[in-house]
Amino acid sequence: MFDEIALTVTTVYEKIVLFEEAVSNYVSLIEWAEGPSKEERRNITNEKMQDFLTYYKVKKIYLPKETIEKIDAFWQGLYEISIDFLHGVDQKSERGETIDLATWKKAHDFTTKEVPNLLKSLDEDLRDIIGTNN
């Protein structure tokens, strides 16, 4: 049983970190000319979210309720910020409309200021579960 719990913890963490990185890249204030387009970054974000949710929904049974609540708040925050960005910045830009800078700033602030604290808290919870929090 412990092996299944440890595998679940490490895989959930890996998948949510990859989802978070995709969202951060998608909403980034900096766009590199040689990097992926906003559309490609949006597709990567969607792919990483689906990958995380597909695994997490069937494996969260192995996690404590408090940790599930943190993970749910975290992934939902990532989802909401990416949807707000899609409507307020990405689609407006594609249509040649004025983008919503407040939405872009909110997304940037979430990924640069809130996410590190959320990840730290989640990291501590998951380490406690598998007994590696020294």
Side-chain angles (χ1 to χ4, degrees), residues 42-43 45 56 113 119 124:
R42 179 178 63 233
N43 290 338
T45 297
Y56 174 65
K113 296 177 183 172
L119 272 177
E124 290 172 2

Side-chain angles (χ1 to χ4, degrees), residues 67-79:
T67 304
I68 291 170
E69 289 171 3
K70 286 183 181 182
I71 293 171
D72 286 347
F74 187 36
W75 81 258
Q76 289 167 1
L78 291 171
Y79 173 76

